[in-house]
Amino acid sequence: MKRITTLLLASLFTLTGVAQDKINWLTTTEFEKAIKQEKQNCLIFIEQDRVDENMPKERAEEMQKRMFAFLEDDKLVDHINKNFICYKFNPLTESLNFQGKEYKQIEERGRTTHEFTAYLTESERINLPAIVLKDQKFNLFEYQASIPA
């Protein structure tokens, strides 16, 4: 029974990875060029920077599957690819240059974070993984509810 459960969870985790691969993720260089040239909103996925050793593997896989369940819909993935500049950032990257500035990993109080994560989210503390939306001017997307007429 354990073996079947493990295989089932592994296959679900793999499906989640495949669904993510349907998105046209750009490299950092491509992303920087695209936001200068194209006036589109941005969808940025910041990967998890570390694994929580206290969390069971099955729980982590379940959380990842739920987080990316929306990518199972081919129409939605197509809409995202057509209407958003998509970028995936891994905070384990030592350093990177973006718009003429260098961003690095930093260590504070025994914890490693990345300056670029703080730049993208406009926050010093964030739970990862995270999805960040930026508008056409690369400002953090702000939801404004409108009152129906």
Side-chain angles (χ1 to χ4, degrees):
M1 187 66 177
K2 261 187 174 180
R3 182 178 240 173
I4 292 172
T5 304
T6 304
L7 288 172
L8 180 62
L9 288 172
S11 65
L12 290 175
F13 187 68
T14 303
L15 286 175
T16 303
V18 170
Q20 274 195 72
D21 290 338
K22 292 179 184 177
I23 299 289
N24 295 330
W25 300 111
L26 301 179
T27 65
T28 304
T29 306
E30 294 169 336
F31 179 61
E32 188 172 6
K33 287 178 185 175
I35 60 173
K36 287 179 184 175
Q37 295 171 352
E38 303 171 31
K39 296 299 177 194
Q40 280 189 308
N41 295 326
C42 301
L43 183 141
I44 303 162
F45 173 60
I46 305 172
E47 297 179 300
Q48 190 165 350
D49 60 346
R50 61 186 164 81
V51 177
D52 186 355
E53 291 88 25
N54 297 328
M55 183 182 298
K57 184 179 178 182
E58 293 82 16
R59 175 75 174 128
E61 290 171 353
E62 178 186 327
M63 286 175 55
Q64 178 127 1
K65 181 181 182 289
R66 275 190 285 144
M67 182 175 191
F68 294 106
F70 71 98
L71 294 177
E72 306 272 327
D73 183 346
D74 289 337
K75 288 181 183 178
L76 181 59
V77 169
D78 187 49
H79 179 78
I80 289 170
N81 283 328
K82 287 180 182 174
N83 297 290
F84 288 88
I85 299 168
C86 300
Y87 174 65
K88 187 188 301 188
F89 174 64
N90 184 340
L92 297 176
T93 304
E94 293 278 328
S95 66
L96 66 92
N97 288 307
F98 186 78
Q99 296 182 335
K101 185 174 180 195
E102 185 176 10
Y103 297 91
K104 301 177 191 174
Q105 275 187 344
I106 52 175
E107 207 165 311
E108 294 177 335
R109 296 181 222 131
R111 188 168 170 205
T112 304
T113 59
H114 205 289
E115 295 171 329
F116 197 55
T117 301
Y119 169 73
L120 292 172
T121 61
E122 299 179 15
S123 175
E124 293 299 318
R125 296 191 62 101
I126 186 156
N127 292 326
L128 298 179
I131 295 174
V132 178
L133 297 175
K134 297 271 190 172
D135 67 14
Q136 296 174 355
K137 296 178 183 174
F138 208 67
N139 296 316
L140 197 58
F141 181 78
E142 193 173 312
Y143 174 76
Q144 297 177 357
S146 60
I147 300 171

Short mmCIF file of all heavy atoms in Angstrom, two decimals, residues 16-53:
data_model
loop_
_atom_site.label_atom_id
_atom_site.label_comp_id
_atom_site.label_asym_id
_atom_site.label_seq_id
_atom_site.Cartn_x
_atom_site.Cartn_y
_atom_site.Cartn_z
N THR A 16 2.34 17.91 -12.04
CA THR A 16 2.42 19.31 -11.70
C THR A 16 3.60 19.94 -12.41
O THR A 16 3.51 21.04 -12.95
CB THR A 16 2.56 19.50 -10.17
OG1 THR A 16 1.45 18.86 -9.55
CG2 THR A 16 2.58 20.95 -9.79
N GLY A 17 4.73 19.26 -12.45
CA GLY A 17 5.90 19.75 -13.16
C GLY A 17 5.64 19.91 -14.64
O GLY A 17 6.06 20.88 -15.26
N VAL A 18 4.92 18.96 -15.22
CA VAL A 18 4.60 19.03 -16.65
C VAL A 18 3.69 20.21 -16.92
O VAL A 18 3.87 20.95 -17.88
CB VAL A 18 3.93 17.71 -17.12
CG1 VAL A 18 3.38 17.84 -18.52
CG2 VAL A 18 4.94 16.56 -17.05
N ALA A 19 2.70 20.43 -16.06
CA ALA A 19 1.79 21.56 -16.24
C ALA A 19 2.56 22.87 -16.19
O ALA A 19 2.31 23.78 -16.97
CB ALA A 19 0.70 21.54 -15.16
N GLN A 20 3.51 22.99 -15.28
CA GLN A 20 4.32 24.20 -15.20
C GLN A 20 5.12 24.40 -16.47
O GLN A 20 5.36 25.52 -16.89
CB GLN A 20 5.31 24.10 -14.04
CG GLN A 20 4.76 24.55 -12.72
CD GLN A 20 5.89 24.76 -11.75
OE1 GLN A 20 6.63 25.71 -11.88
NE2 GLN A 20 6.00 23.88 -10.78
N ASP A 21 5.56 23.31 -17.09
CA ASP A 21 6.37 23.41 -18.29
C ASP A 21 5.58 23.91 -19.49
O ASP A 21 6.17 24.29 -20.49
CB ASP A 21 7.02 22.05 -18.62
CG ASP A 21 8.09 21.69 -17.60
OD1 ASP A 21 8.61 22.61 -16.94
OD2 ASP A 21 8.41 20.50 -17.48
N LYS A 22 4.25 23.93 -19.41
CA LYS A 22 3.44 24.45 -20.52
C LYS A 22 3.54 25.96 -20.60
O LYS A 22 3.28 26.54 -21.63
CB LYS A 22 1.98 24.05 -20.34
CG LYS A 22 1.73 22.56 -20.49
CD LYS A 22 0.26 22.28 -20.28
CE LYS A 22 -0.05 20.82 -20.33
NZ LYS A 22 -1.48 20.57 -20.05
N ILE A 23 3.89 26.60 -19.51
CA ILE A 23 4.06 28.05 -19.49
C ILE A 23 5.37 28.39 -20.19
O ILE A 23 6.37 27.72 -20.02
CB ILE A 23 4.10 28.58 -18.03
CG1 ILE A 23 2.80 28.28 -17.30
CG2 ILE A 23 4.41 30.07 -18.00
CD1 ILE A 23 1.60 29.06 -17.74
N ASN A 24 5.36 29.45 -20.98
CA ASN A 24 6.56 29.89 -21.69
C ASN A 24 7.42 30.74 -20.75
O ASN A 24 7.39 31.97 -20.81
CB ASN A 24 6.19 30.70 -22.94
CG ASN A 24 5.47 29.85 -23.95
OD1 ASN A 24 5.69 28.66 -24.05
ND2 ASN A 24 4.58 30.48 -24.69
N TRP A 25 8.17 30.08 -19.86
CA TRP A 25 9.01 30.78 -18.91
C TRP A 25 10.22 31.38 -19.63
O TRP A 25 10.87 30.70 -20.41
CB TRP A 25 9.49 29.84 -17.80
CG TRP A 25 8.40 29.21 -17.00
CD1 TRP A 25 8.04 27.90 -17.01
CD2 TRP A 25 7.52 29.85 -16.09
NE1 TRP A 25 7.00 27.69 -16.14
CE2 TRP A 25 6.66 28.87 -15.56
CE3 TRP A 25 7.39 31.17 -15.65
CZ2 TRP A 25 5.67 29.15 -14.63
CZ3 TRP A 25 6.39 31.45 -14.71
CH2 TRP A 25 5.55 30.45 -14.21
N LEU A 26 10.51 32.63 -19.36
CA LEU A 26 11.66 33.30 -19.95
C LEU A 26 12.86 33.24 -19.02
O LEU A 26 12.70 33.16 -17.80
CB LEU A 26 11.32 34.77 -20.23
CG LEU A 26 10.15 35.05 -21.16
CD1 LEU A 26 9.95 36.56 -21.30
CD2 LEU A 26 10.35 34.42 -22.51
N THR A 27 14.06 33.33 -19.61
CA THR A 27 15.27 33.46 -18.80
C THR A 27 15.31 34.89 -18.27
O THR A 27 14.54 35.75 -18.71
CB THR A 27 16.53 33.19 -19.63
OG1 THR A 27 16.64 34.22 -20.63
CG2 THR A 27 16.49 31.82 -20.28
N THR A 28 16.23 35.17 -17.36
CA THR A 28 16.34 36.52 -16.81
C THR A 28 16.61 37.54 -17.91
O THR A 28 15.99 38.61 -17.95
CB THR A 28 17.44 36.57 -15.74
OG1 THR A 28 17.15 35.59 -14.73
CG2 THR A 28 17.53 37.94 -15.09
N THR A 29 17.52 37.24 -18.81
CA THR A 29 17.86 38.15 -19.90
C THR A 29 16.66 38.38 -20.82
O THR A 29 16.34 39.52 -21.18
CB THR A 29 19.05 37.60 -20.72
OG1 THR A 29 20.13 37.34 -19.83
CG2 THR A 29 19.49 38.57 -21.79
N GLU A 30 15.97 37.30 -21.20
CA GLU A 30 14.78 37.42 -22.05
C GLU A 30 13.69 38.22 -21.35
O GLU A 30 13.01 39.04 -21.97
CB GLU A 30 14.24 36.03 -22.40
CG GLU A 30 15.15 35.20 -23.27
CD GLU A 30 14.70 33.74 -23.38
OE1 GLU A 30 14.00 33.25 -22.46
OE2 GLU A 30 15.06 33.11 -24.38
N PHE A 31 13.54 37.99 -20.06
CA PHE A 31 12.52 38.68 -19.26
C PHE A 31 12.80 40.18 -19.23
O PHE A 31 11.90 41.00 -19.45
CB PHE A 31 12.49 38.10 -17.84
CG PHE A 31 11.51 38.74 -16.91
CD1 PHE A 31 10.15 38.72 -17.19
CD2 PHE A 31 11.94 39.36 -15.75
CE1 PHE A 31 9.23 39.30 -16.32
CE2 PHE A 31 11.04 39.94 -14.88
CZ PHE A 31 9.69 39.91 -15.16
N GLU A 32 14.04 40.56 -19.00
CA GLU A 32 14.43 41.97 -18.95
C GLU A 32 14.14 42.65 -20.29
O GLU A 32 13.60 43.75 -20.34
CB GLU A 32 15.90 42.09 -18.58
CG GLU A 32 16.34 43.50 -18.32
CD GLU A 32 17.75 43.57 -17.76
OE1 GLU A 32 18.45 42.54 -17.69
OE2 GLU A 32 18.16 44.69 -17.40
N LYS A 33 14.49 41.99 -21.40
CA LYS A 33 14.22 42.55 -22.73
C LYS A 33 12.72 42.66 -22.99
O LYS A 33 12.25 43.65 -23.53
CB LYS A 33 14.87 41.68 -23.81
CG LYS A 33 16.37 41.80 -23.87
CD LYS A 33 16.94 40.87 -24.92
CE LYS A 33 18.46 40.89 -24.90
NZ LYS A 33 19.03 39.91 -25.83
N ALA A 34 11.98 41.63 -22.59
CA ALA A 34 10.54 41.59 -22.86
C ALA A 34 9.80 42.71 -22.13
O ALA A 34 8.89 43.32 -22.70
CB ALA A 34 9.96 40.23 -22.47
N ILE A 35 10.18 42.99 -20.89
CA ILE A 35 9.45 44.05 -20.17
C ILE A 35 9.78 45.43 -20.72
O ILE A 35 9.00 46.36 -20.57
CB ILE A 35 9.67 44.00 -18.63
CG1 ILE A 35 11.13 44.16 -18.27
CG2 ILE A 35 9.08 42.76 -18.05
CD1 ILE A 35 11.38 44.27 -16.77
N LYS A 36 10.91 45.58 -21.40
CA LYS A 36 11.25 46.85 -22.04
C LYS A 36 10.49 47.00 -23.36
O LYS A 36 10.03 48.08 -23.70
CB LYS A 36 12.76 46.93 -22.32
CG LYS A 36 13.58 47.14 -21.08
CD LYS A 36 15.06 47.20 -21.42
CE LYS A 36 15.90 47.32 -20.17
NZ LYS A 36 17.34 47.25 -20.48
N GLN A 37 10.36 45.90 -24.12
CA GLN A 37 9.77 45.95 -25.46
C GLN A 37 8.27 45.80 -25.46
O GLN A 37 7.56 46.51 -26.16
CB GLN A 37 10.39 44.86 -26.34
CG GLN A 37 11.85 45.07 -26.60
CD GLN A 37 12.49 43.88 -27.29
OE1 GLN A 37 11.87 42.83 -27.44
NE2 GLN A 37 13.74 44.03 -27.70
N GLU A 38 7.76 44.84 -24.72
CA GLU A 38 6.34 44.52 -24.73
C GLU A 38 5.64 45.20 -23.56
O GLU A 38 6.14 45.16 -22.45
CB GLU A 38 6.12 43.01 -24.63
CG GLU A 38 6.81 42.22 -25.73
CD GLU A 38 6.77 40.73 -25.48
OE1 GLU A 38 5.79 40.25 -24.87
OE2 GLU A 38 7.72 40.05 -25.87
N LYS A 39 4.53 45.77 -23.83
CA LYS A 39 3.74 46.39 -22.76
C LYS A 39 2.67 45.41 -22.33
O LYS A 39 1.52 45.48 -22.75
CB LYS A 39 3.14 47.73 -23.22
CG LYS A 39 4.18 48.77 -23.55
CD LYS A 39 5.03 49.08 -22.33
CE LYS A 39 6.12 50.08 -22.67
NZ LYS A 39 7.14 50.16 -21.65
N GLN A 40 3.12 44.43 -21.54
CA GLN A 40 2.21 43.40 -21.02
C GLN A 40 2.40 43.28 -19.52
O GLN A 40 3.44 43.64 -18.97
CB GLN A 40 2.50 42.04 -21.65
CG GLN A 40 1.93 41.85 -23.03
CD GLN A 40 2.09 40.41 -23.48
OE1 GLN A 40 3.18 39.86 -23.43
NE2 GLN A 40 1.01 39.81 -23.93
N ASN A 41 1.40 42.71 -18.88
CA ASN A 41 1.51 42.38 -17.47
C ASN A 41 2.48 41.22 -17.31
O ASN A 41 2.71 40.46 -18.25
CB ASN A 41 0.15 42.02 -16.89
CG ASN A 41 -0.80 43.19 -16.91
OD1 ASN A 41 -0.41 44.34 -16.74
ND2 ASN A 41 -2.07 42.91 -17.13
N CYS A 42 3.04 41.08 -16.12
CA CYS A 42 4.02 40.02 -15.85
C CYS A 42 3.50 39.05 -14.80
O CYS A 42 2.90 39.47 -13.80
CB CYS A 42 5.33 40.62 -15.34
SG CYS A 42 6.10 41.77 -16.47
N LEU A 43 3.72 37.79 -15.03
CA LEU A 43 3.44 36.74 -14.06
C LEU A 43 4.80 36.17 -13.68
O LEU A 43 5.52 35.66 -14.54
CB LEU A 43 2.55 35.66 -14.65
CG LEU A 43 2.15 34.56 -13.68
CD1 LEU A 43 0.70 34.17 -13.93
CD2 LEU A 43 3.03 33.35 -13.79
N ILE A 44 5.15 36.30 -12.42
CA ILE A 44 6.46 35.86 -11.94
C ILE A 44 6.25 34.77 -10.89
O ILE A 44 5.49 34.96 -9.94
CB ILE A 44 7.23 37.04 -11.31
CG1 ILE A 44 7.38 38.17 -12.34
CG2 ILE A 44 8.58 36.58 -10.78
CD1 ILE A 44 7.72 39.51 -11.75
N PHE A 45 6.91 33.66 -11.11
CA PHE A 45 6.86 32.57 -10.14
C PHE A 45 8.20 32.50 -9.43
O PHE A 45 9.24 32.36 -10.06
CB PHE A 45 6.55 31.24 -10.83
CG PHE A 45 6.66 30.06 -9.92
CD1 PHE A 45 5.86 29.97 -8.79
CD2 PHE A 45 7.56 29.05 -10.16
CE1 PHE A 45 5.96 28.89 -7.92
CE2 PHE A 45 7.67 27.96 -9.31
CZ PHE A 45 6.87 27.89 -8.19
N ILE A 46 8.17 32.66 -8.12
CA ILE A 46 9.38 32.56 -7.31
C ILE A 46 9.35 31.20 -6.64
O ILE A 46 8.46 30.91 -5.84
CB ILE A 46 9.47 33.68 -6.26
CG1 ILE A 46 9.36 35.04 -6.94
CG2 ILE A 46 10.77 33.56 -5.47
CD1 ILE A 46 9.24 36.21 -5.99
N GLU A 47 10.31 30.37 -7.02
CA GLU A 47 10.36 29.01 -6.51
C GLU A 47 10.71 29.00 -5.02
O GLU A 47 11.22 29.98 -4.49
CB GLU A 47 11.40 28.19 -7.29
CG GLU A 47 11.05 28.04 -8.74
CD GLU A 47 12.07 27.25 -9.52
OE1 GLU A 47 13.24 27.68 -9.57
OE2 GLU A 47 11.69 26.21 -10.06
N GLN A 48 10.45 27.87 -4.40
CA GLN A 48 10.78 27.72 -3.00
C GLN A 48 12.29 27.66 -2.86
O GLN A 48 12.96 26.94 -3.58
CB GLN A 48 10.14 26.45 -2.45
CG GLN A 48 10.23 26.34 -0.95
CD GLN A 48 9.27 25.29 -0.42
OE1 GLN A 48 8.42 24.79 -1.12
NE2 GLN A 48 9.41 24.97 0.84
N ASP A 49 12.82 28.44 -1.92
CA ASP A 49 14.27 28.54 -1.78
C ASP A 49 14.88 27.46 -0.90
O ASP A 49 16.08 27.28 -0.89
CB ASP A 49 14.67 29.92 -1.27
CG ASP A 49 14.07 30.26 0.08
OD1 ASP A 49 13.13 29.57 0.52
OD2 ASP A 49 14.52 31.25 0.69
N ARG A 50 14.07 26.77 -0.17
CA ARG A 50 14.59 25.71 0.70
C ARG A 50 13.48 24.70 0.97
O ARG A 50 12.32 24.98 0.77
CB ARG A 50 15.11 26.28 2.01
CG ARG A 50 14.04 26.99 2.82
CD ARG A 50 14.62 27.68 4.04
NE ARG A 50 13.66 28.62 4.56
CZ ARG A 50 12.63 28.32 5.32
NH1 ARG A 50 12.43 27.08 5.70
NH2 ARG A 50 11.80 29.23 5.74
N VAL A 51 13.89 23.56 1.42
CA VAL A 51 12.93 22.51 1.76
C VAL A 51 12.79 22.48 3.27
O VAL A 51 13.78 22.48 3.99
CB VAL A 51 13.42 21.14 1.23
CG1 VAL A 51 12.47 20.04 1.64
CG2 VAL A 51 13.60 21.19 -0.26
N ASP A 52 11.57 22.47 3.73
CA ASP A 52 11.30 22.39 5.16
C ASP A 52 11.45 20.94 5.61
O ASP A 52 10.64 20.09 5.26
CB ASP A 52 9.90 22.91 5.45
CG ASP A 52 9.59 22.99 6.94
OD1 ASP A 52 10.43 22.57 7.76
OD2 ASP A 52 8.51 23.49 7.28
N GLU A 53 12.52 20.68 6.35
CA GLU A 53 12.78 19.31 6.79
C GLU A 53 11.72 18.79 7.74
O GLU A 53 11.54 17.59 7.89
CB GLU A 53 14.16 19.21 7.48
CG GLU A 53 15.33 19.38 6.53
CD GLU A 53 15.75 20.84 6.36
OE1 GLU A 53 15.50 21.65 7.27
OE2 GLU A 53 16.30 21.15 5.30
#
